[in-house]
Amino acid sequence: MLREALEYLTTPCPFLARRHGYLGEMVALGARHRRQRAVWEPHVACCHRFIADAIRDLPKGGRALVAGSGRLIEVPLPLLAERFDEVVLVDMLHTWSVRRAARRFGHVRLLTADVTGALAALDRMPPGSLSLPDPAPPNLPGERFAFAVSCNLLSQLPIMPLDVIERKHRSCPEAWCLRGPLCSSAG
Ligand SMILES: C[S@@+](CC[C@H](N)C(=O)[O-])C[C@H]1O[C@@H](n2cnc3c(N)ncnc32)[C@H](O)[C@@H]1O
């Protein structure tokens, strides 16, 4: 508990990621992983194997992108770093342990960004005046990526934005449209 509180207080984090719970989730992910390490092991091994298989036949060099790098639990960073000239890790925030892991390699870059670009727009909207923002994903200048993986990110993308909509725009018809399928599946 103390460890989690310290991590929450000391992790560098953009204001919006803190405000909308991404930092809390990141800290909770670390705590769950420490508690359930043995149970998660097959899943983690499977993720590492998936990435190893995916890059096996690629020529060495070029750039790799990991979207949703999180705490690097599911990401075999040494393997990627050994294989590519540059590895870009993208997440809403990067913990100190990830920063340290990246620093060990000279060519692992951390990009702090919302891959949907939707959160800032949602946050700016006054309560009750929901109009769904056009997605504005971050610009990733430079050479094309030779390899890109979304590391268990896709399923997470709607969670926090839907939570913002639920809290700030509950009464809007658009919010009803988004909530409808979730509510009906919950009965
Ligand atoms: C299930 S966790 C992935 C864990 C990670 N692959 C690992 O090995 O530790 C999902 C990750 O997606 C990130 N995430 C969620 N929504 C995001 C967004 N819109 N843009 C960037 N990252 C996002 C979260 O911060 C979290 O780290």
Side-chain angles (χ1 to χ4, degrees):
M1 190 71 185
L2 189 60
R3 177 175 180 165
E4 284 79 32
L6 267 179
E7 184 174 37
Y8 187 86
L9 292 173
T10 59
T11 300
C13 178
F15 172 72
L16 285 185
R18 188 180 290 266
R19 171 184 235 179
H20 293 296
Y22 290 87
L23 173 58
E25 283 300 317
M26 188 71 88
V27 172
L29 177 68
R32 281 199 303 280
H33 182 233
R34 282 190 292 279
R35 277 198 313 272
Q36 305 283 346
R37 192 178 289 270
V39 180
W40 286 18
E41 193 39 47
H43 163 76
V44 170
C46 189
C47 294
H48 286 208
R49 213 168 33 246
F50 176 85
I51 293 177
D53 288 349
I55 65 174
R56 180 161 301 123
D57 296 330
L58 294 181
K60 211 168 171 190
R63 300 171 86 204
L65 174 76
V66 180
S69 45
R71 306 188 71 101
L72 297 176
I73 297 167
E74 301 158 334
V75 182
L77 186 61
L79 180 68
L80 292 172
E82 191 263 320
R83 193 66 186 239
F84 295 98
D85 294 334
E86 184 183 35
V87 180
V88 181
L89 305 178
V90 186
D91 207 290
M92 293 293 260
L93 68 132
H94 299 282
T95 63
W96 283 116
S97 63
V98 166
R99 287 160 195 265
R100 279 194 299 274
R103 262 202 303 271
R104 255 173 249 138
F105 308 96
H107 58 301
V108 174
R109 197 155 68 81
L110 303 179
L111 183 65
T112 302
D114 168 8
V115 299
T116 68
L119 190 67
L122 273 177
D123 184 76
R124 274 195 304 272
M125 277 171 212
S129 64
L130 176 65
S131 67
L132 291 179
D134 286 332
N139 202 6
L140 299 175
E143 193 193 320
R144 277 170 66 102
F145 288 97
F147 173 73
V149 63
S150 154
C151 203
N152 295 309
L153 168 66
L154 205 57
S155 62
Q156 307 296 307
L157 288 181
I159 295 176
M160 301 306 194
L162 281 174
D163 196 47
V164 178
I165 290 169
E166 181 69 17
R167 277 185 280 116
K168 282 182 64 180
H169 307 285
R170 226 180 143 56
S171 55
C172 296
E174 291 87 348
W176 273 94
C177 296
L178 291 168
R179 214 172 39 230
L182 297 177
C183 285
S184 54
S185 68

